Amino acid sequence: MTETVDRTRPARSRSRLAALLGRQPLGIVFSAPYVVFLAVVFAYPLGLAVWMSFHDYFFAAPGVEVERPFVGLENYQEVLGDPDVRESFLNVVEFLLINVPLTVVLALVLAAALNGAMRGRTFLRIAYFAPYVTASVALVAVWLFLFSQGGMVNQVLGPLAPDPSWLVNSTLAMPVIALFVTWKQLGLFVLFYLAALQNVPKELYESAASDGAGRIRAFWHVTVPGVRPATTLVLILATITGANLFTEPYLLTNGGGPNGASSSPVLVMYQKGIEQGNPDTAAAIGVLLVIGVLLIALVTRKVVERD
């Protein structure tokens, strides 16, 4: 009886170890560098931001020990009561409502067109992807040339040009930024859809054609359902990218102008945390932004997968 118990104990420990490490323990060795990267670059800064948001945190000289008392939800109350912060969140919602649907529709339509047999297909693929790998500063210079007061767009429109002009117009500034970001990132999402289209069986298109379906019906009933996983990915990535909007309003509208009409939460975080020296309130904004993005991504995934 004692021998049986002694034999079963090592077997149980081995089974627990196998359940912990998996069938291929060597995989942990290969994935360890990426786990460390995630912990150092994402997990630790996020945890520090959460801690800062509940304390009276301020910058101090290196090596200087200072007290940073716990203040509870005081920073969150200050953030939620700040009209500039509330406006920045409303601005980014407006941005996402324009950017995300436009990105999904254009990327899918262009990918479906580029996936077929057409002349200059390689050139067009490179042309759509080029803005994504081009420095934002260079692209911003082009858009300032186009949409400034005396820019090419206003010269073409003549008396129909808006007054005040696009990027200094409180109503048009954020839509113009949303169009800029859509154009800049479109090539990346086109590549996602092109990769997804390779997994849609050609037999489905042949069957749809034999049933009398035209290109539009085949696109709607074959292409759209066939790339649904890619659509989920595009929606989530576009949402995360849009929620972290910073460079475009900082450069295009000189820091969120006019009068904060194109400010974003990340831009306000920078202004409060770095320029004004309030990293605790900036951390509270960041935590609220992370929670909001996670909720939007979760709801988006549930809705797309359910449909």
Side-chain angles (χ1 to χ4, degrees):
M1 183 72 176
T2 306
E3 275 184 38
T4 306
V5 173
D6 292 339
R7 290 176 182 176
T8 55
R9 283 179 180 174
R12 289 178 181 176
S13 61
R14 284 195 300 269
S15 64
R16 291 175 182 174
L17 186 62
L20 180 63
L21 300 179
R23 294 183 179 180
Q24 300 293 337
L26 190 61
I28 296 179
V29 177
F30 290 107
S31 62
Y34 186 66
V35 173
V36 173
F37 171 80
L38 289 177
V40 173
V41 178
F42 293 101
Y44 173 73
L46 179 60
L48 179 61
V50 173
W51 184 87
M52 290 169 57
S53 68
F54 289 103
H55 291 76
D56 183 12
Y57 191 94
F58 53 91
F59 296 121
V64 177
E65 295 292 336
V66 294
E67 290 187 5
R68 296 183 173 97
F70 178 79
V71 295
L73 298 176
E74 184 177 313
N75 290 323
Y76 290 95
Q77 293 174 352
E78 180 180 349
V79 164
L80 294 175
D82 191 335
D84 293 335
V85 176
R86 295 199 300 267
E87 184 179 16
S88 69
F89 275 93
L90 292 176
N91 289 339
V92 85
V93 169
E94 178 186 359
F95 173 88
L96 293 176
L97 290 175
I98 299 172
N99 171 256
V100 175
L102 198 59
T103 297
V104 173
V105 173
L106 290 179
L108 180 53
V109 171
L110 289 173
L114 294 173
N115 192 53
M118 60 182 301
R119 298 181 63 181
R121 182 173 59 177
T122 303
F123 170 77
L124 290 174
R125 289 181 178 181
I126 296 174
Y128 284 121
F129 190 72
Y132 179 75
V133 296
T134 304
S136 295
V137 176
L139 298 178
V140 163
V142 175
W143 277 65
L144 288 175
F145 171 75
L146 292 174
F147 289 96
S148 62
Q149 182 69 42
M152 184 180 296
V153 175
N154 284 351
Q155 292 180 7
V156 172
L157 292 177
L160 298 178
D163 186 25
S165 191
W166 305 89
L167 295 173
V168 293
N169 189 309
S170 59
T171 303
L172 299 175
M174 186 54 76
V176 171
I177 293 175
L179 291 176
F180 172 81
V181 176
T182 301
W183 168 73
K184 183 180 186 300
Q185 299 180 345
L186 192 61
L188 176 66
F189 298 119
V190 168
L191 286 182
F192 287 165
Y193 275 124
L194 282 173
L197 287 171
Q198 309 310 310
N199 296 322
V200 180
K202 294 183 179 180
E203 292 79 8
L204 294 178
Y205 292 101
E206 296 173 357
S207 176
S210 63
D211 290 339
R215 291 185 177 182
I216 296 178
R217 290 187 61 188
F219 174 82
W220 187 253
H221 293 286
V222 178
T223 303
V224 173
V227 297
R228 184 168 294 159
T231 300
T232 303
L233 178 63
V234 170
L235 283 170
I236 293 176
L237 288 180
T239 300
I240 294 174
T241 304
N244 288 278
L245 184 69
F246 173 79
T247 305
E248 290 76 13
Y250 184 78
L251 296 177
L252 280 172
T253 59
N254 195 24
N259 298 323
S262 62
S263 64
S264 66
V266 176
L267 180 59
V268 175
M269 285 173 56
Y270 169 77
Q271 293 170 340
K272 290 186 175 296
I274 304 301
E275 295 180 350
Q276 301 174 16
N278 296 312
D280 46 4
T281 55
I285 297 173
V287 173
L288 292 175
L289 182 62
V290 169
I291 294 173
V293 171
L294 288 177
L295 290 176
I296 293 174
L298 180 62
V299 172
T300 299
R301 180 178 178 181
K302 292 293 183 183
V303 170
V304 174
E305 290 182 350
R306 183 186 65 185
D307 291 341

